[in-house]
Amino acid sequence: MYDYTQPLSRSEASRAKVRQQTDIDVGGTQWALLPDVFSPADSKSSLAHLSLLQFPVGGTFLEIGSGIGLIAVQAALAGCRSVYATDLNPAAVKNTELNAERFGVADRVTCVHSDLFDALHDVPAFDVVYWHSNNVWAPPELDLTAHELAYVDPGYEAHQRYFREARNHLAPGGRVLIALSSRAGRAELDELAAAEEQRLITLDSTTVDEPEGPVVYELLELVTR
């Protein structure tokens, strides 16, 4: 199992940099970043996963864990007619709203404060449900901040819930996607998916050089067994 203390150290270093709203460069574009929100400028994972995604142009898209709104905003810019973006961190919800306004897609991006799907009541079903997950396992007894929870998942509790609940928010023919990395405990996640009568299949992947060495970033689909 990957050493969960490493991403927690990265979380601490990234969070310490930002004490007030600032702009960050992400792929040559300026994005607003608020304190206590995951910064894609400090990780190669966000752009790596973005490169693997194909948005449902003309359709509907739900992003779980939106952070600054990078994926949600890009979904709207790509032509999705309706995008919902949720995050358990209230600062991230505000951050996504700021960037939706900045890039002129606030009319198509709805931001919701929600722990996974908890607050998604009476919303339409989606063509794609997507989560760039906090796929590093951590001990379940840890008491973590919202910023740290962007990096690790204690006991894989959030992943278990995602596997159980995501399909309930799909339109006919819709797809449940999840972005993982080679830092994830893949065997454990496969077992959790199987417990829900589902399995994970890899759609695409890319390998990125990180300080620790090459990391594989994958886009997977959760399908019925």
Side-chain angles (χ1 to χ4, degrees), residues 168-207:
N168 298 330
H169 298 271
L170 287 182
R175 308 175 76 187
V176 175
L177 305 180
I178 186 169
L180 301 177
S181 77
S182 51
R183 297 168 176 145
R186 182 59 187 274
E188 289 78 9
L189 293 178
D190 284 337
E191 287 182 8
L192 290 175
E196 301 299 331
E197 299 297 324
Q198 299 176 90
R199 61 188 177 94
L200 292 164
I201 60 172
T202 299
L203 302 177
D204 204 354
S205 66
T206 185
T207 301

PDB file of all heavy atoms in Angstrom, residues 168-207:
ATOM      1  N   ASN A 168     -26.980   5.680  -9.147  1.00  0.00           N
ATOM      2  CA  ASN A 168     -28.335   6.184  -8.880  1.00  0.00           C
ATOM      3  C   ASN A 168     -28.565   7.557  -9.496  1.00  0.00           C
ATOM      4  O   ASN A 168     -29.701   8.042  -9.493  1.00  0.00           O
ATOM      5  CB  ASN A 168     -28.580   6.260  -7.378  1.00  0.00           C
ATOM      6  CG  ASN A 168     -28.505   4.914  -6.703  1.00  0.00           C
ATOM      7  OD1 ASN A 168     -28.810   3.888  -7.305  1.00  0.00           O
ATOM      8  ND2 ASN A 168     -28.088   4.896  -5.441  1.00  0.00           N
ATOM      9  N   HIS A 169     -27.513   8.169  -9.999  1.00  0.00           N
ATOM     10  CA  HIS A 169     -27.625   9.519 -10.552  1.00  0.00           C
ATOM     11  C   HIS A 169     -27.398   9.551 -12.062  1.00  0.00           C
ATOM     12  O   HIS A 169     -27.160  10.605 -12.637  1.00  0.00           O
ATOM     13  CB  HIS A 169     -26.630  10.448  -9.846  1.00  0.00           C
ATOM     14  CG  HIS A 169     -26.895  10.577  -8.383  1.00  0.00           C
ATOM     15  ND1 HIS A 169     -27.743  11.539  -7.860  1.00  0.00           N
ATOM     16  CD2 HIS A 169     -26.482   9.832  -7.323  1.00  0.00           C
ATOM     17  CE1 HIS A 169     -27.811  11.391  -6.538  1.00  0.00           C
ATOM     18  NE2 HIS A 169     -27.054  10.369  -6.190  1.00  0.00           N
ATOM     19  N   LEU A 170     -27.497   8.390 -12.707  1.00  0.00           N
ATOM     20  CA  LEU A 170     -27.264   8.296 -14.138  1.00  0.00           C
ATOM     21  C   LEU A 170     -28.566   8.381 -14.939  1.00  0.00           C
ATOM     22  O   LEU A 170     -29.573   7.779 -14.585  1.00  0.00           O
ATOM     23  CB  LEU A 170     -26.576   6.981 -14.483  1.00  0.00           C
ATOM     24  CG  LEU A 170     -25.107   6.829 -14.105  1.00  0.00           C
ATOM     25  CD1 LEU A 170     -24.601   5.468 -14.573  1.00  0.00           C
ATOM     26  CD2 LEU A 170     -24.255   7.947 -14.686  1.00  0.00           C
ATOM     27  N   ALA A 171     -28.479   9.103 -16.058  1.00  0.00           N
ATOM     28  CA  ALA A 171     -29.533   9.047 -17.064  1.00  0.00           C
ATOM     29  C   ALA A 171     -29.395   7.732 -17.831  1.00  0.00           C
ATOM     30  O   ALA A 171     -28.347   7.079 -17.773  1.00  0.00           O
ATOM     31  CB  ALA A 171     -29.400  10.240 -18.012  1.00  0.00           C
ATOM     32  N   PRO A 172     -30.437   7.304 -18.541  1.00  0.00           N
ATOM     33  CA  PRO A 172     -30.316   6.083 -19.352  1.00  0.00           C
ATOM     34  C   PRO A 172     -29.107   6.169 -20.282  1.00  0.00           C
ATOM     35  O   PRO A 172     -28.912   7.161 -20.983  1.00  0.00           O
ATOM     36  CB  PRO A 172     -31.631   6.060 -20.133  1.00  0.00           C
ATOM     37  CG  PRO A 172     -32.602   6.786 -19.248  1.00  0.00           C
ATOM     38  CD  PRO A 172     -31.799   7.875 -18.604  1.00  0.00           C
ATOM     39  N   GLY A 173     -28.305   5.124 -20.263  1.00  0.00           N
ATOM     40  CA  GLY A 173     -27.105   5.112 -21.090  1.00  0.00           C
ATOM     41  C   GLY A 173     -25.941   5.881 -20.500  1.00  0.00           C
ATOM     42  O   GLY A 173     -24.875   5.982 -21.130  1.00  0.00           O
ATOM     43  N   GLY A 174     -26.105   6.403 -19.275  1.00  0.00           N
ATOM     44  CA  GLY A 174     -25.055   7.199 -18.649  1.00  0.00           C
ATOM     45  C   GLY A 174     -23.887   6.350 -18.169  1.00  0.00           C
ATOM     46  O   GLY A 174     -23.972   5.124 -18.080  1.00  0.00           O
ATOM     47  N   ARG A 175     -22.795   7.047 -17.815  1.00  0.00           N
ATOM     48  CA  ARG A 175     -21.566   6.354 -17.439  1.00  0.00           C
ATOM     49  C   ARG A 175     -21.021   6.918 -16.125  1.00  0.00           C
ATOM     50  O   ARG A 175     -21.069   8.136 -15.888  1.00  0.00           O
ATOM     51  CB  ARG A 175     -20.504   6.523 -18.525  1.00  0.00           C
ATOM     52  CG  ARG A 175     -20.968   6.154 -19.909  1.00  0.00           C
ATOM     53  CD  ARG A 175     -19.925   6.464 -20.957  1.00  0.00           C
ATOM     54  NE  ARG A 175     -18.830   5.495 -20.948  1.00  0.00           N
ATOM     55  CZ  ARG A 175     -17.732   5.625 -21.689  1.00  0.00           C
ATOM     56  NH1 ARG A 175     -17.557   6.694 -22.455  1.00  0.00           N
ATOM     57  NH2 ARG A 175     -16.797   4.691 -21.642  1.00  0.00           N
ATOM     58  N   VAL A 176     -20.489   6.020 -15.297  1.00  0.00           N
ATOM     59  CA  VAL A 176     -19.812   6.405 -14.063  1.00  0.00           C
ATOM     60  C   VAL A 176     -18.310   6.273 -14.299  1.00  0.00           C
ATOM     61  O   VAL A 176     -17.819   5.174 -14.599  1.00  0.00           O
ATOM     62  CB  VAL A 176     -20.234   5.531 -12.874  1.00  0.00           C
ATOM     63  CG1 VAL A 176     -19.416   5.895 -11.630  1.00  0.00           C
ATOM     64  CG2 VAL A 176     -21.717   5.684 -12.591  1.00  0.00           C
ATOM     65  N   LEU A 177     -17.587   7.378 -14.147  1.00  0.00           N
ATOM     66  CA  LEU A 177     -16.146   7.395 -14.358  1.00  0.00           C
ATOM     67  C   LEU A 177     -15.424   7.749 -13.064  1.00  0.00           C
ATOM     68  O   LEU A 177     -15.972   8.454 -12.212  1.00  0.00           O
ATOM     69  CB  LEU A 177     -15.771   8.412 -15.440  1.00  0.00           C
ATOM     70  CG  LEU A 177     -16.454   8.276 -16.790  1.00  0.00           C
ATOM     71  CD1 LEU A 177     -15.968   9.377 -17.735  1.00  0.00           C
ATOM     72  CD2 LEU A 177     -16.218   6.903 -17.403  1.00  0.00           C
ATOM     73  N   ILE A 178     -14.201   7.266 -12.943  1.00  0.00           N
ATOM     74  CA  ILE A 178     -13.365   7.608 -11.799  1.00  0.00           C
ATOM     75  C   ILE A 178     -11.924   7.705 -12.269  1.00  0.00           C
ATOM     76  O   ILE A 178     -11.473   6.907 -13.097  1.00  0.00           O
ATOM     77  CB  ILE A 178     -13.519   6.589 -10.652  1.00  0.00           C
ATOM     78  CG1 ILE A 178     -12.754   7.043  -9.408  1.00  0.00           C
ATOM     79  CG2 ILE A 178     -13.116   5.193 -11.085  1.00  0.00           C
ATOM     80  CD1 ILE A 178     -13.073   6.242  -8.157  1.00  0.00           C
ATOM     81  N   ALA A 179     -11.220   8.709 -11.763  1.00  0.00           N
ATOM     82  CA  ALA A 179      -9.805   8.904 -12.085  1.00  0.00           C
ATOM     83  C   ALA A 179      -8.967   8.397 -10.926  1.00  0.00           C
ATOM     84  O   ALA A 179      -9.134   8.840  -9.788  1.00  0.00           O
ATOM     85  CB  ALA A 179      -9.525  10.382 -12.341  1.00  0.00           C
ATOM     86  N   LEU A 180      -8.090   7.448 -11.213  1.00  0.00           N
ATOM     87  CA  LEU A 180      -7.210   6.867 -10.210  1.00  0.00           C
ATOM     88  C   LEU A 180      -5.763   7.016 -10.643  1.00  0.00           C
ATOM     89  O   LEU A 180      -5.472   7.438 -11.764  1.00  0.00           O
ATOM     90  CB  LEU A 180      -7.523   5.381 -10.006  1.00  0.00           C
ATOM     91  CG  LEU A 180      -8.928   5.000  -9.561  1.00  0.00           C
ATOM     92  CD1 LEU A 180      -9.049   3.474  -9.483  1.00  0.00           C
ATOM     93  CD2 LEU A 180      -9.277   5.631  -8.221  1.00  0.00           C
ATOM     94  N   SER A 181      -4.862   6.659  -9.746  1.00  0.00           N
ATOM     95  CA  SER A 181      -3.442   6.650 -10.075  1.00  0.00           C
ATOM     96  C   SER A 181      -2.820   5.364  -9.553  1.00  0.00           C
ATOM     97  O   SER A 181      -3.458   4.588  -8.830  1.00  0.00           O
ATOM     98  CB  SER A 181      -2.733   7.854  -9.455  1.00  0.00           C
ATOM     99  OG  SER A 181      -2.520   7.659  -8.065  1.00  0.00           O
ATOM    100  N   SER A 182      -1.570   5.155  -9.917  1.00  0.00           N
ATOM    101  CA  SER A 182      -0.863   3.966  -9.442  1.00  0.00           C
ATOM    102  C   SER A 182      -0.542   4.051  -7.961  1.00  0.00           C
ATOM    103  O   SER A 182      -0.018   3.096  -7.381  1.00  0.00           O
ATOM    104  CB  SER A 182       0.419   3.758 -10.256  1.00  0.00           C
ATOM    105  OG  SER A 182       1.203   4.935 -10.318  1.00  0.00           O
ATOM    106  N   ARG A 183      -0.879   5.166  -7.305  1.00  0.00           N
ATOM    107  CA  ARG A 183      -0.756   5.271  -5.855  1.00  0.00           C
ATOM    108  C   ARG A 183      -1.934   4.599  -5.148  1.00  0.00           C
ATOM    109  O   ARG A 183      -1.901   4.387  -3.940  1.00  0.00           O
ATOM    110  CB  ARG A 183      -0.702   6.737  -5.443  1.00  0.00           C
ATOM    111  CG  ARG A 183       0.516   7.500  -5.974  1.00  0.00           C
ATOM    112  CD  ARG A 183       0.338   8.980  -5.775  1.00  0.00           C
ATOM    113  NE  ARG A 183       1.505   9.755  -6.173  1.00  0.00           N
ATOM    114  CZ  ARG A 183       1.462  10.962  -6.725  1.00  0.00           C
ATOM    115  NH1 ARG A 183       0.281  11.516  -6.968  1.00  0.00           N
ATOM    116  NH2 ARG A 183       2.575  11.597  -7.046  1.00  0.00           N
ATOM    117  N   ALA A 184      -2.987   4.293  -5.876  1.00  0.00           N
ATOM    118  CA  ALA A 184      -4.192   3.707  -5.281  1.00  0.00           C
ATOM    119  C   ALA A 184      -3.961   2.247  -4.926  1.00  0.00           C
ATOM    120  O   ALA A 184      -3.137   1.557  -5.532  1.00  0.00           O
ATOM    121  CB  ALA A 184      -5.360   3.824  -6.253  1.00  0.00           C
ATOM    122  N   GLY A 185      -4.711   1.775  -3.955  1.00  0.00           N
ATOM    123  CA  GLY A 185      -4.738   0.352  -3.634  1.00  0.00           C
ATOM    124  C   GLY A 185      -5.736  -0.318  -4.555  1.00  0.00           C
ATOM    125  O   GLY A 185      -6.896  -0.521  -4.198  1.00  0.00           O
ATOM    126  N   ARG A 186      -5.296  -0.671  -5.739  1.00  0.00           N
ATOM    127  CA  ARG A 186      -6.222  -1.136  -6.775  1.00  0.00           C
ATOM    128  C   ARG A 186      -6.931  -2.426  -6.367  1.00  0.00           C
ATOM    129  O   ARG A 186      -8.132  -2.601  -6.628  1.00  0.00           O
ATOM    130  CB  ARG A 186      -5.480  -1.310  -8.092  1.00  0.00           C
ATOM    131  CG  ARG A 186      -6.354  -1.737  -9.266  1.00  0.00           C
ATOM    132  CD  ARG A 186      -7.489  -0.737  -9.540  1.00  0.00           C
ATOM    133  NE  ARG A 186      -8.385  -1.273 -10.550  1.00  0.00           N
ATOM    134  CZ  ARG A 186      -8.199  -1.152 -11.866  1.00  0.00           C
ATOM    135  NH1 ARG A 186      -7.147  -0.491 -12.325  1.00  0.00           N
ATOM    136  NH2 ARG A 186      -9.062  -1.669 -12.712  1.00  0.00           N
ATOM    137  N   ALA A 187      -6.223  -3.354  -5.747  1.00  0.00           N
ATOM    138  CA  ALA A 187      -6.869  -4.604  -5.338  1.00  0.00           C
ATOM    139  C   ALA A 187      -8.000  -4.328  -4.357  1.00  0.00           C
ATOM    140  O   ALA A 187      -9.083  -4.932  -4.447  1.00  0.00           O
ATOM    141  CB  ALA A 187      -5.843  -5.548  -4.721  1.00  0.00           C
ATOM    142  N   GLU A 188      -7.773  -3.420  -3.413  1.00  0.00           N
ATOM    143  CA  GLU A 188      -8.801  -3.084  -2.422  1.00  0.00           C
ATOM    144  C   GLU A 188      -9.996  -2.406  -3.094  1.00  0.00           C
ATOM    145  O   GLU A 188     -11.155  -2.684  -2.748  1.00  0.00           O
ATOM    146  CB  GLU A 188      -8.216  -2.176  -1.349  1.00  0.00           C
ATOM    147  CG  GLU A 188      -7.232  -2.856  -0.407  1.00  0.00           C
ATOM    148  CD  GLU A 188      -5.849  -3.056  -1.011  1.00  0.00           C
ATOM    149  OE1 GLU A 188      -5.585  -2.516  -2.117  1.00  0.00           O
ATOM    150  OE2 GLU A 188      -5.019  -3.748  -0.400  1.00  0.00           O
ATOM    151  N   LEU A 189      -9.731  -1.520  -4.056  1.00  0.00           N
ATOM    152  CA  LEU A 189     -10.825  -0.845  -4.751  1.00  0.00           C
ATOM    153  C   LEU A 189     -11.607  -1.819  -5.627  1.00  0.00           C
ATOM    154  O   LEU A 189     -12.839  -1.728  -5.725  1.00  0.00           O
ATOM    155  CB  LEU A 189     -10.270   0.310  -5.590  1.00  0.00           C
ATOM    156  CG  LEU A 189      -9.674   1.465  -4.787  1.00  0.00           C
ATOM    157  CD1 LEU A 189      -9.117   2.536  -5.718  1.00  0.00           C
ATOM    158  CD2 LEU A 189     -10.704   2.080  -3.844  1.00  0.00           C
ATOM    159  N   ASP A 190     -10.915  -2.755  -6.255  1.00  0.00           N
ATOM    160  CA  ASP A 190     -11.617  -3.773  -7.041  1.00  0.00           C
ATOM    161  C   ASP A 190     -12.552  -4.601  -6.156  1.00  0.00           C
ATOM    162  O   ASP A 190     -13.668  -4.948  -6.562  1.00  0.00           O
ATOM    163  CB  ASP A 190     -10.612  -4.694  -7.737  1.00  0.00           C
ATOM    164  CG  ASP A 190      -9.952  -4.045  -8.953  1.00  0.00           C
ATOM    165  OD1 ASP A 190     -10.543  -3.097  -9.510  1.00  0.00           O
ATOM    166  OD2 ASP A 190      -8.857  -4.484  -9.333  1.00  0.00           O
ATOM    167  N   GLU A 191     -12.108  -4.898  -4.947  1.00  0.00           N
ATOM    168  CA  GLU A 191     -12.951  -5.656  -4.018  1.00  0.00           C
ATOM    169  C   GLU A 191     -14.182  -4.855  -3.607  1.00  0.00           C
ATOM    170  O   GLU A 191     -15.291  -5.399  -3.515  1.00  0.00           O
ATOM    171  CB  GLU A 191     -12.139  -6.039  -2.776  1.00  0.00           C
ATOM    172  CG  GLU A 191     -11.107  -7.132  -3.012  1.00  0.00           C
ATOM    173  CD  GLU A 191     -10.370  -7.505  -1.744  1.00  0.00           C
ATOM    174  OE1 GLU A 191     -10.772  -7.017  -0.665  1.00  0.00           O
ATOM    175  OE2 GLU A 191      -9.412  -8.285  -1.832  1.00  0.00           O
ATOM    176  N   LEU A 192     -14.000  -3.564  -3.372  1.00  0.00           N
ATOM    177  CA  LEU A 192     -15.134  -2.724  -2.992  1.00  0.00           C
ATOM    178  C   LEU A 192     -16.136  -2.618  -4.136  1.00  0.00           C
ATOM    179  O   LEU A 192     -17.351  -2.626  -3.913  1.00  0.00           O
ATOM    180  CB  LEU A 192     -14.640  -1.332  -2.590  1.00  0.00           C
ATOM    181  CG  LEU A 192     -13.870  -1.246  -1.275  1.00  0.00           C
ATOM    182  CD1 LEU A 192     -13.347   0.169  -1.061  1.00  0.00           C
ATOM    183  CD2 LEU A 192     -14.745  -1.668  -0.100  1.00  0.00           C
ATOM    184  N   ALA A 193     -15.634  -2.493  -5.359  1.00  0.00           N
ATOM    185  CA  ALA A 193     -16.529  -2.449  -6.517  1.00  0.00           C
ATOM    186  C   ALA A 193     -17.277  -3.769  -6.665  1.00  0.00           C
ATOM    187  O   ALA A 193     -18.492  -3.785  -6.918  1.00  0.00           O
ATOM    188  CB  ALA A 193     -15.734  -2.129  -7.780  1.00  0.00           C
ATOM    189  N   ALA A 194     -16.572  -4.875  -6.489  1.00  0.00           N
ATOM    190  CA  ALA A 194     -17.195  -6.191  -6.625  1.00  0.00           C
ATOM    191  C   ALA A 194     -18.292  -6.401  -5.584  1.00  0.00           C
ATOM    192  O   ALA A 194     -19.306  -7.056  -5.861  1.00  0.00           O
ATOM    193  CB  ALA A 194     -16.140  -7.285  -6.508  1.00  0.00           C
ATOM    194  N   ALA A 195     -18.108  -5.836  -4.398  1.00  0.00           N
ATOM    195  CA  ALA A 195     -19.121  -5.953  -3.346  1.00  0.00           C
ATOM    196  C   ALA A 195     -20.422  -5.272  -3.749  1.00  0.00           C
ATOM    197  O   ALA A 195     -21.484  -5.593  -3.212  1.00  0.00           O
ATOM    198  CB  ALA A 195     -18.590  -5.358  -2.046  1.00  0.00           C
ATOM    199  N   GLU A 196     -20.341  -4.332  -4.689  1.00  0.00           N
ATOM    200  CA  GLU A 196     -21.533  -3.646  -5.203  1.00  0.00           C
ATOM    201  C   GLU A 196     -21.952  -4.211  -6.559  1.00  0.00           C
ATOM    202  O   GLU A 196     -22.708  -3.568  -7.298  1.00  0.00           O
ATOM    203  CB  GLU A 196     -21.253  -2.141  -5.328  1.00  0.00           C
ATOM    204  CG  GLU A 196     -20.863  -1.469  -4.031  1.00  0.00           C
ATOM    205  CD  GLU A 196     -21.927  -1.545  -2.957  1.00  0.00           C
ATOM    206  OE1 GLU A 196     -23.129  -1.600  -3.331  1.00  0.00           O
ATOM    207  OE2 GLU A 196     -21.579  -1.568  -1.763  1.00  0.00           O
ATOM    208  N   GLU A 197     -21.461  -5.411  -6.886  1.00  0.00           N
ATOM    209  CA  GLU A 197     -21.775  -6.079  -8.156  1.00  0.00           C
ATOM    210  C   GLU A 197     -21.331  -5.243  -9.353  1.00  0.00           C
ATOM    211  O   GLU A 197     -22.023  -5.174 -10.374  1.00  0.00           O
ATOM    212  CB  GLU A 197     -23.279  -6.395  -8.250  1.00  0.00           C
ATOM    213  CG  GLU A 197     -23.780  -7.326  -7.167  1.00  0.00           C
ATOM    214  CD  GLU A 197     -23.116  -8.705  -7.245  1.00  0.00           C
ATOM    215  OE1 GLU A 197     -22.847  -9.173  -8.366  1.00  0.00           O
ATOM    216  OE2 GLU A 197     -22.849  -9.296  -6.182  1.00  0.00           O
ATOM    217  N   GLN A 198     -20.170  -4.620  -9.220  1.00  0.00           N
ATOM    218  CA  GLN A 198     -19.618  -3.805 -10.281  1.00  0.00           C
ATOM    219  C   GLN A 198     -18.134  -4.124 -10.449  1.00  0.00           C
ATOM    220  O   GLN A 198     -17.538  -4.819  -9.629  1.00  0.00           O
ATOM    221  CB  GLN A 198     -19.811  -2.310  -9.972  1.00  0.00           C
ATOM    222  CG  GLN A 198     -21.278  -1.915  -9.855  1.00  0.00           C
ATOM    223  CD  GLN A 198     -21.456  -0.476  -9.451  1.00  0.00           C
ATOM    224  OE1 GLN A 198     -21.532   0.409 -10.285  1.00  0.00           O
ATOM    225  NE2 GLN A 198     -21.515  -0.237  -8.156  1.00  0.00           N
ATOM    226  N   ARG A 199     -17.549  -3.599 -11.514  1.00  0.00           N
ATOM    227  CA  ARG A 199     -16.117  -3.755 -11.725  1.00  0.00           C
ATOM    228  C   ARG A 199     -15.559  -2.510 -12.392  1.00  0.00           C
ATOM    229  O   ARG A 199     -16.294  -1.744 -13.027  1.00  0.00           O
ATOM    230  CB  ARG A 199     -15.816  -4.999 -12.575  1.00  0.00           C
ATOM    231  CG  ARG A 199     -16.415  -4.982 -13.973  1.00  0.00           C
ATOM    232  CD  ARG A 199     -16.239  -6.332 -14.660  1.00  0.00           C
ATOM    233  NE  ARG A 199     -16.874  -6.341 -15.968  1.00  0.00           N
ATOM    234  CZ  ARG A 199     -16.238  -6.073 -17.108  1.00  0.00           C
ATOM    235  NH1 ARG A 199     -14.935  -5.793 -17.083  1.00  0.00           N
ATOM    236  NH2 ARG A 199     -16.876  -6.097 -18.262  1.00  0.00           N
ATOM    237  N   LEU A 200     -14.270  -2.322 -12.239  1.00  0.00           N
ATOM    238  CA  LEU A 200     -13.579  -1.175 -12.818  1.00  0.00           C
ATOM    239  C   LEU A 200     -12.848  -1.612 -14.077  1.00  0.00           C
ATOM    240  O   LEU A 200     -12.094  -2.587 -14.060  1.00  0.00           O
ATOM    241  CB  LEU A 200     -12.570  -0.603 -11.817  1.00  0.00           C
ATOM    242  CG  LEU A 200     -13.153   0.066 -10.577  1.00  0.00           C
ATOM    243  CD1 LEU A 200     -12.078   0.230  -9.507  1.00  0.00           C
ATOM    244  CD2 LEU A 200     -13.746   1.425 -10.941  1.00  0.00           C
ATOM    245  N   ILE A 201     -13.074  -0.894 -15.168  1.00  0.00           N
ATOM    246  CA  ILE A 201     -12.345  -1.165 -16.399  1.00  0.00           C
ATOM    247  C   ILE A 201     -11.593   0.097 -16.826  1.00  0.00           C
ATOM    248  O   ILE A 201     -12.122   1.200 -16.742  1.00  0.00           O
ATOM    249  CB  ILE A 201     -13.269  -1.657 -17.525  1.00  0.00           C
ATOM    250  CG1 ILE A 201     -14.348  -0.623 -17.852  1.00  0.00           C
ATOM    251  CG2 ILE A 201     -13.900  -2.979 -17.162  1.00  0.00           C
ATOM    252  CD1 ILE A 201     -15.160  -0.975 -19.091  1.00  0.00           C
ATOM    253  N   THR A 202     -10.360  -0.061 -17.253  1.00  0.00           N
ATOM    254  CA  THR A 202      -9.529   1.074 -17.655  1.00  0.00           C
ATOM    255  C   THR A 202      -9.887   1.510 -19.070  1.00  0.00           C
ATOM    256  O   THR A 202      -9.893   0.693 -19.997  1.00  0.00           O
ATOM    257  CB  THR A 202      -8.044   0.707 -17.584  1.00  0.00           C
ATOM    258  OG1 THR A 202      -7.708   0.355 -16.243  1.00  0.00           O
ATOM    259  CG2 THR A 202      -7.169   1.880 -18.008  1.00  0.00           C
ATOM    260  N   LEU A 203     -10.172   2.801 -19.225  1.00  0.00           N
ATOM    261  CA  LEU A 203     -10.475   3.373 -20.536  1.00  0.00           C
ATOM    262  C   LEU A 203      -9.244   3.984 -21.186  1.00  0.00           C
ATOM    263  O   LEU A 203      -9.063   3.892 -22.398  1.00  0.00           O
ATOM    264  CB  LEU A 203     -11.567   4.444 -20.402  1.00  0.00           C
ATOM    265  CG  LEU A 203     -12.894   4.008 -19.795  1.00  0.00           C
ATOM    266  CD1 LEU A 203     -13.825   5.205 -19.669  1.00  0.00           C
ATOM    267  CD2 LEU A 203     -13.539   2.908 -20.631  1.00  0.00           C
ATOM    268  N   ASP A 204      -8.408   4.623 -20.384  1.00  0.00           N
ATOM    269  CA  ASP A 204      -7.219   5.286 -20.917  1.00  0.00           C
ATOM    270  C   ASP A 204      -6.269   5.560 -19.764  1.00  0.00           C
ATOM    271  O   ASP A 204      -6.674   5.553 -18.595  1.00  0.00           O
ATOM    272  CB  ASP A 204      -7.601   6.592 -21.614  1.00  0.00           C
ATOM    273  CG  ASP A 204      -6.576   7.040 -22.654  1.00  0.00           C
ATOM    274  OD1 ASP A 204      -5.505   6.399 -22.758  1.00  0.00           O
ATOM    275  OD2 ASP A 204      -6.852   8.027 -23.357  1.00  0.00           O
ATOM    276  N   SER A 205      -5.013   5.795 -20.087  1.00  0.00           N
ATOM    277  CA  SER A 205      -4.028   6.084 -19.044  1.00  0.00           C
ATOM    278  C   SER A 205      -2.885   6.891 -19.613  1.00  0.00           C
ATOM    279  O   SER A 205      -2.675   6.947 -20.845  1.00  0.00           O
ATOM    280  CB  SER A 205      -3.495   4.782 -18.425  1.00  0.00           C
ATOM    281  OG  SER A 205      -2.759   4.041 -19.389  1.00  0.00           O
ATOM    282  N   THR A 206      -2.137   7.520 -18.729  1.00  0.00           N
ATOM    283  CA  THR A 206      -0.936   8.249 -19.106  1.00  0.00           C
ATOM    284  C   THR A 206       0.051   8.153 -17.960  1.00  0.00           C
ATOM    285  O   THR A 206      -0.350   8.059 -16.797  1.00  0.00           O
ATOM    286  CB  THR A 206      -1.247   9.734 -19.437  1.00  0.00           C
ATOM    287  OG1 THR A 206      -0.075  10.381 -19.922  1.00  0.00           O
ATOM    288  CG2 THR A 206      -1.769  10.481 -18.221  1.00  0.00           C
ATOM    289  N   THR A 207       1.328   8.166 -18.277  1.00  0.00           N
ATOM    290  CA  THR A 207       2.375   8.083 -17.272  1.00  0.00           C
ATOM    291  C   THR A 207       3.096   9.423 -17.184  1.00  0.00           C
ATOM    292  O   THR A 207       3.483   9.993 -18.210  1.00  0.00           O
ATOM    293  CB  THR A 207       3.380   6.974 -17.606  1.00  0.00           C
ATOM    294  OG1 THR A 207       2.682   5.726 -17.689  1.00  0.00           O
ATOM    295  CG2 THR A 207       4.451   6.866 -16.533  1.00  0.00           C
TER     296      THR A 207
END
